[in-house]
Amino acid sequence: MFFLELSDSKFVLDDKHIDIALYYLRKKECYHPRDHPFRCTTTDVLFDNYMALVYKDFSEDASDEFWCAGDNQLFLTPYVWGDSRRCGIAWTEVDKIFFPCRLPSEDDEAVTHFLLGVLDLNQKKIDVYDSIYSEPYEAGMNYMQMYARMIPHLLKFSQFDKNHKSFGNVFNKFDIQWQRSPHQTGSTDCGAFLIKFAELLMIGKDVQQFQPEDIKDFRKELAANLWAHGEWKRNSGYDTPPENVGDDYESENETFCPKEL
């Protein structure tokens, strides 16, 4: 069902689809770094969920005690330090972080819309790519303000400036910039557009080069590639190396990962 739902635009993509696809894109960068103009990593939907949960108690003058309280440090700071089992590349080693956002419904139970945020550490800004709106709107902007306000505090608590060569020691609120992007024509493709935007941006391409009507083919191609690669790993016994940004797996003699990855 995972591959059927991923490949068919009749289905809405869920958290697992988003997380696995972003993991796949991270591995492509590790295997073929020459195809990527900058270093990057991603978060996942779980990180987004925790951000929304913590934000309810967040204040503009949040102290270190806030980040140490409860599960805040346990769930959020490992992403920054590269200690998360789900996204194991430290932010100090990259230029940009791609993060999925899931806008909640009014009752906080149903999925309304996925959009992509790109945290640019060097420019101290957040670029937003939305397959419905190319201009800021209330629900989307309110959600992105959560990241713009909390991320600087999280970085400061993590002593990020001591380990990232370009960030500096200023922890002001990040600027939010809504970027123009292709618009979905169906009601079920926002997650697929998020993945496609990330794929193009990671290799330095303009998302507007993508035609919305091609999203159906993209979903089928992504599902086929994931299936084929999974079968190859299962049959060959290949063990994926750890996620270490900067590693060129392609140059390792013992690595025989298919070029399709």
Side-chain angles (χ1 to χ4, degrees):
M1 283 302 297
F2 172 89
F3 293 100
L4 173 62
E5 292 169 351
L6 179 59
S7 64
D8 194 334
S9 289
K10 291 186 297 185
F11 296 96
V12 177
L13 299 189
D14 61 18
D15 298 359
K16 184 180 294 186
H17 294 112
I18 300 297
D19 289 346
I20 290 177
L22 291 179
Y23 172 82
Y24 176 71
L25 295 180
R26 290 201 309 274
K27 301 311 286 188
K28 288 181 71 173
E29 185 201 12
C30 288
Y31 279 99
H32 310 298
R34 299 183 190 89
D35 297 335
H36 297 78
F38 52 84
R39 293 300 187 187
C40 64
T41 188
T42 73
T43 61
D44 54 17
V45 179
L46 186 62
F47 181 84
D48 184 62
N49 292 341
Y50 284 131
M51 286 284 287
L53 181 64
V54 169
Y55 191 58
K56 296 177 181 179
D57 298 321
F58 175 77
S59 66
E60 295 292 346
D61 59 349
S63 64
D64 288 354
E65 286 74 18
F66 169 81
W67 294 107
C68 293
D71 294 331
N72 299 351
Q73 182 177 13
L74 178 63
F75 289 121
L76 291 177
T77 55
Y79 284 85
V80 180
W81 294 330
D83 294 332
S84 170
R85 290 179 297 173
R86 298 168 64 93
C87 301
I89 299 177
W91 292 8
T92 54
E93 302 297 324
V94 302
D95 301 302
K96 296 182 180 182
I97 297 107
F98 291 76
F99 58 93
C101 293
R102 183 180 59 185
L103 302 186
S105 64
E106 293 182 358
D107 57 10
D108 291 331
E109 293 181 357
V111 172
T112 57
H113 184 48
F114 275 114
L115 49 81
L116 175 68
V118 183
L119 186 68
D120 189 321
L121 295 170
N122 299 323
Q123 299 295 324
K124 296 184 175 63
K125 67 172 182 173
I126 297 174
D127 291 321
V128 184
Y129 295 86
D130 191 322
S131 58
I132 294 182
Y133 302 103
S134 293
E135 300 291 339
Y137 56 101
E138 184 176 5
M141 180 57 77
N142 288 342
Y143 204 83
M144 298 312 301
Q145 289 283 2
M146 172 181 73
Y147 277 86
R149 291 169 178 160
M150 287 182 60
I151 289 296
H153 287 270
L154 177 60
L155 296 179
K156 184 177 182 180
F157 170 74
S158 304
Q159 298 184 322
F160 186 79
D161 56 315
K162 296 181 180 180
N163 297 285
H164 193 277
K165 60 182 180 180
S166 302
F167 187 81
N169 58 0
V170 178
F171 294 92
N172 296 331
K173 173 184 171 184
F174 280 64
D175 292 330
I176 300 174
Q177 297 183 10
W178 231 264
Q179 302 295 333
R180 296 188 62 83
S181 55
H183 289 172
Q184 64 188 80
T185 56
S187 61
T188 59
D189 287 324
C190 60
F193 271 86
L194 181 158
I195 298 167
K196 185 62 181 180
F197 293 159
E199 179 188 60
L200 292 171
L201 292 167
M202 283 183 177
I203 57 176
K205 291 189 176 180
D206 187 348
V207 298
Q208 295 192 73
Q209 295 178 353
F210 179 70
Q211 300 302 315
E213 58 269 21
D214 293 334
I215 197 65
K216 292 184 178 180
D217 290 337
F218 170 71
R219 291 182 65 153
K220 294 176 182 178
E221 179 183 3
L222 179 61
N225 286 341
L226 288 175
W227 173 274
H229 188 68
E231 286 294 288
W232 175 82
K233 287 183 66 176
R234 184 172 65 88
N235 294 329
S236 67
Y238 178 77
D239 187 18
T240 303
E243 290 188 62
N244 295 313
V245 70
D247 284 355
D248 185 354
Y249 299 155
E250 197 174 30
S251 67
E252 298 294 334
N253 293 330
E254 66 270 19
T255 298
F256 297 96
C257 183
K259 294 288 288 184
E260 287 75 16
L261 181 65

